[in-house]
Amino acid sequence: MACCFSRLLALAIKIISPTKGLNTSAQIFELMQVYPQGITVQELSNRLNRPVSMLNLCLKSLVASKKILARKNHNQWVYTVNNTKSCLKGIGEWEVGSGK
């Protein structure tokens, strides 16, 4: 039986540098300003062209830091900006180009 591993294809992997601008968490927060009634993760995914899994990680972090609020609406989560003064402190301190 001949081994099929002798014909492995070499894949070229290109490592890219982060781009300048807002990271994903900052983009989420900025977009949420336009939706005071709230926005779902699927809507965020469609508008930001990011996978839902990445957005869920960012949303979890934003909820934990109390910058945004999450509420269950029927069978999906809706996220809104937390507008209390104490929670808006430090909003401008986003990491640029970190990817999250």
Side-chain angles (χ1 to χ4, degrees):
M1 183 169 161
C3 182
C4 62
F5 294 115
S6 61
R7 295 185 186 173
L8 289 177
L9 298 175
L11 298 175
I13 297 175
K14 181 179 180 183
I15 309 261
I16 60 172
S17 300
T19 57
K20 300 272 185 208
L22 296 175
N23 61 28
T24 303
S25 291
Q27 289 176 355
I28 290 170
F29 193 80
E30 187 176 80
L31 183 60
M32 289 178 74
Q33 305 296 320
V34 182
Y35 295 91
Q37 76 283 3
I39 190 167
T40 65
V41 70
Q42 190 58 54
E43 290 171 312
L44 284 168
S45 177
N46 292 340
R47 284 169 179 63
L48 295 176
N49 194 28
R50 297 281 191 281
V52 168
S53 58
M54 172 194 258
L55 295 174
N56 277 327
L57 290 172
C58 295
L59 288 167
K60 188 181 282 190
S61 175
L62 288 166
V63 169
S65 67
K66 299 183 179 168
K67 290 183 172 91
I68 65 171
L69 302 172
R71 73 177 190 283
K72 190 92 166 188
N73 187 8
H74 300 289
N75 64 342
Q76 58 188 343
W77 287 97
V78 177
Y79 299 91
T80 55
V81 174
N82 187 351
N83 287 320
T84 60
K85 273 191 172 183
S86 62
C87 294
L88 293 176
K89 184 179 178 186
I91 292 297
E93 301 170 3
W94 302 104
E95 297 174 37
V96 175
S98 71
K100 276 194 177 176

